[in-house]
Amino acid sequence: MEDRMKKLVNDPRRVVREMLEGLADLNPGLALLDTEDVVVRAGLPEPAGRPVAVLSGGGSGHEPAHAGYVGEGMLAGAIAGDVFTSPSVDAVLAAIRAAAGPRGALLVVKNYTGDRLNFGLAAALATAEGIPTEVVLVADDAALRDTVAPGQRRGIAGTVLVHKVAGAAAAAGLALEEVRAEAEAAAASVVSMGVALGACTVPAAGTPGFTLGVDEMELGLGIHGEQGVRRSAMQPADAIVATILDTLVADAGLAAGDEVALLVNGLGGTPPMELAIVARAALAALRTRGIAVPRGWAGNFMTALEMPGCSLSLMRLDAARLARLDAPATAPAWPGGGMLVPRRVVAAPPAEAATSATAPGPLAPVLRRAVLAVAAALEAEEPGLTALDSHAGDGDLGLSMARGAAAVRALPEAAFATPASTLTAMAQALRRAIAGSSGPFYAAALLAASRRLDQPAPGRAEWEAGFSAAVEAIGELGGARPGDRTMLDALHPAAEAFAAARHLPAGAAWDAALAAALAGQEATRSMRPRLGRAAYLGDRALGQPDAGAAAVLVWMRAVGTSLGR
């Protein structure tokens, strides 16, 4: 079935104007021209007192570029075309007239045919009117190094750094020729390359621009929803970053001892978590090559609507260019800062001292066999628990249980000396290994049980008491009761059944407990959740068993198997 557009828009023909109106409403430092899709700096001085006006623009869909960079120290104005479409000559000319004075204007233009034509003609017309106007092209897309001549490369996210350098030069009072020279040098010093994990949807089109398989990515794409230079198999983030940096470093001729600024740019659909992972990889790889990175940023700077993916930009630095990047700017989308220092790592407080080892008791082999069986079962069921938890939760239970399994698998032999020592060691391991709610719940349960089993070979009465104490501890910690659609709906009937079967052999009693747990888990299918994230879904959580209750079944079955049941 063909994907259709779901966007928070009204009329696709009005998205640009309505977007600019919202931006101007939110930022008092911006003003919107009444007859053109142009944003200029509010409160500009009279024309005679204005510095060189640095302007930029292009098609919309790259937000926060370009209007987000309008502010003191960056752009004096930005011109917005339709989505992925160059603005008209008249719109660019209107921006020049509104923002520039006798000292003139500099247009920073990304190297696309439509932008070159419309901005270039507007510059000529403005100059003829008495407003000297120059154009600087940015062609930073290094992915095209083997495809087209340097002058035909696209302008992509590195353009933002050129905005910053040119804007700072203009704010410093330089003449038009000097601002242009700094902007041209900055444009020649920046290289960029992107990767896409999926397509974006232009509002006027209503469908994605291309289709990628679940294990595919596009390398070397532009910023207009087009495909890249080549399609390849999906790789981990570090490998993708290494591929991009190989191209950037070679294209820019960078070597050990050089300094660069790093811009990790999201394409619109990439969360900050992933951009930070990319930044970490890029910084580490550059430093390994001996290339210093005194400034760096990660975020959405020049997007392609909602496209998942990112680009990396490197700008070669000298002292003067670094000063331009550090100069103050009030543009709403410029983050400022960017100063990098070696990663600060501080030592965590030491863990509590391990309890003194005791001689292994008679149950040590049984305990170890049961714990390892539980670990193996939880690891095997990770996908199933993840799927269940995704139905009504946040989808992390499978991974949490797998982490817990790895933690208890690593317990030393001494941990299995007695039932109490085993449960205590497991509680400490799970508390450290599992975040979220599962870790505290299981840790509290195991600690409560261990206090009822503090002897080398406890009897049935102690095991029954330990099971009941564990269930009570979970209820007290989380406030849940049977019927709330939680793990207690499996655990509570299991503990009751185990106690009620005390007249049976231990194995048969465990079978009764397991059957009760299964019935309890199945009952959760029709329970409306009262606690946890599932409670936010109401009736939409119905139909599938609770994931926490399902996890109880996994480890209970594993215990039974280890006992020969």
Side-chain angles (χ1 to χ4, degrees):
M1 180 177 177
E2 188 179 55
D3 290 335
R4 299 300 299 175
M5 180 176 72
K6 285 185 179 179
K7 291 182 180 291
L8 296 174
V9 302
N10 297 307
D11 182 346
R13 295 166 295 186
R14 290 277 302 165
V15 292
V16 174
R17 188 65 185 184
E18 292 178 358
M19 176 266 294
L20 293 178
E21 289 171 351
L23 184 67
D25 287 343
L26 291 169
N27 293 279
L30 304 182
L32 182 61
L33 296 194
D34 56 354
T35 60
E36 298 287 353
D37 289 335
V38 172
V39 170
V40 296
R41 199 182 308 163
L44 285 169
E46 291 299 314
R50 293 175 185 173
V52 171
V54 179
L55 299 107
S56 189
S60 296
H62 306 305
E63 290 70 36
H66 301 80
Y69 302 115
V70 174
E72 294 183 14
M74 284 196 77
L75 301 182
I79 309 97
D82 288 335
V83 175
F84 297 165
T85 303
S86 175
S88 68
V89 172
D90 286 355
V92 179
L93 186 58
I96 297 170
R97 291 167 176 161
R103 302 194 69 182
L106 179 73
L107 308 183
V108 178
V109 180
K110 297 185 299 304
N111 193 29
Y112 296 96
T113 301
D115 288 340
R116 289 199 312 270
L117 293 175
N118 287 291
F119 280 82
L121 180 53
L125 293 173
T127 299
E129 290 182 7
I131 306 174
T133 303
E134 300 282 354
V135 175
V136 169
L137 294 175
V138 183
D140 57 317
D141 188 0
L144 300 177
R145 64 193 301 258
D146 298 323
T147 306
V148 299
Q152 295 178 300
R153 295 183 183 185
R154 298 172 291 207
I156 53 177
T159 308
V160 176
L161 298 178
V162 180
H163 290 164
K164 183 65 183 66
V165 171
L174 272 61
L176 176 59
E177 294 76 12
E178 296 170 305
V179 176
R180 183 190 67 185
E182 288 206 27
E184 287 178 339
S189 299
V190 65
V191 288
S192 303
M193 181 174 170
V195 60
L197 309 185
C200 63
T201 299
V202 175
T207 57
F210 59 88
T211 301
L212 273 178
V214 294
D215 294 323
E216 294 179 321
M217 63 181 182
E218 288 281 343
L219 277 166
L221 70 157
I223 52 172
H224 295 110
E226 71 273 53
Q227 299 179 58
V229 172
R230 64 184 175 92
R231 183 169 296 190
S232 68
M234 184 64 193
Q235 295 179 301
D238 287 3
I240 295 172
V241 169
T243 298
I244 293 175
L245 286 181
D246 285 344
T247 298
L248 297 183
V249 169
D251 190 60
L254 295 169
D258 288 333
E259 290 191 344
V260 299
L262 168 69
L263 189 75
V264 178
N265 172 59
L267 295 178
T270 306
M273 172 189 290
E274 296 174 31
L275 295 179
I277 291 171
V278 169
R280 160 196 163 277
L283 290 169
L286 289 167
R287 288 164 178 161
T288 297
R289 297 170 185 258
I291 299 172
V293 190
R295 299 292 182 274
W297 300 268
N300 283 337
F301 294 92
M302 185 171 288
T303 63
L305 294 171
E306 80 283 17
M307 179 175 280
C310 70
S311 64
L312 299 181
S313 299
L314 302 179
M315 174 176 275
R316 187 188 292 270
L317 296 178
D318 56 21
R321 193 166 296 132
L322 183 60
R324 296 301 189 211
L325 292 177
D326 287 344
T330 63
W334 178 248
M339 183 176 294
L340 302 183
V341 298
R343 184 187 303 152
R344 297 182 177 92
V345 179
V346 297
E352 65 271 19
T355 55
S356 57
T358 59
L363 295 178
V366 177
L367 293 169
R368 181 171 177 78
R369 186 168 63 247
V371 169
L372 293 180
V374 166
L378 290 173
E379 288 168 341
E381 290 298 321
E382 178 184 352
L385 293 175
T386 297
L388 273 181
D389 195 36
S390 298
H391 174 71
D394 52 10
D396 68 342
L397 183 63
L399 179 60
S400 294
M401 293 293 99
R403 284 176 172 164
V408 298
R409 189 187 294 281
L411 290 175
E413 289 287 344
F416 301 97
T418 67
S421 68
T422 301
L423 297 181
T424 300
M426 290 178 66
Q428 293 173 351
L430 295 181
R431 190 192 73 232
R432 289 191 289 265
I434 304 177
S437 57
S438 298
F441 283 144
Y442 275 107
L446 291 165
L447 287 174
S450 71
R451 289 191 286 269
R452 302 298 180 95
L453 297 165
D454 194 13
Q455 50 188 285
R460 283 283 295 279
E462 286 76 25
W463 283 105
E464 292 171 13
F467 200 167
S468 296
V471 175
E472 291 175 7
I474 292 173
E476 290 176 0
L477 181 61
R481 301 185 302 272
D484 287 342
R485 189 187 163 96
T486 71
M487 68 170 71
L488 284 182
D489 290 299
L491 282 171
H492 189 271
E496 287 190 332
F498 187 65
R502 62 176 60 95
H503 60 287
L504 298 175
W510 191 254
D511 288 343
L514 185 55
L518 177 59
Q521 176 209 259
E522 289 302 299
T524 62
R525 292 178 183 271
S526 60
M527 291 180 185
R528 198 173 190 278
R530 192 178 70 87
L531 299 174
R533 286 185 175 87
Y536 309 147
L537 298 180
D539 291 342
R540 297 182 70 184
L542 302 179
Q544 296 283 348
D546 175 68
V552 169
L553 264 293
V554 172
W555 63 256
M556 283 190 66
R557 286 186 178 121
V559 170
T561 299
S562 73
L563 297 175
R565 305 306 299 171

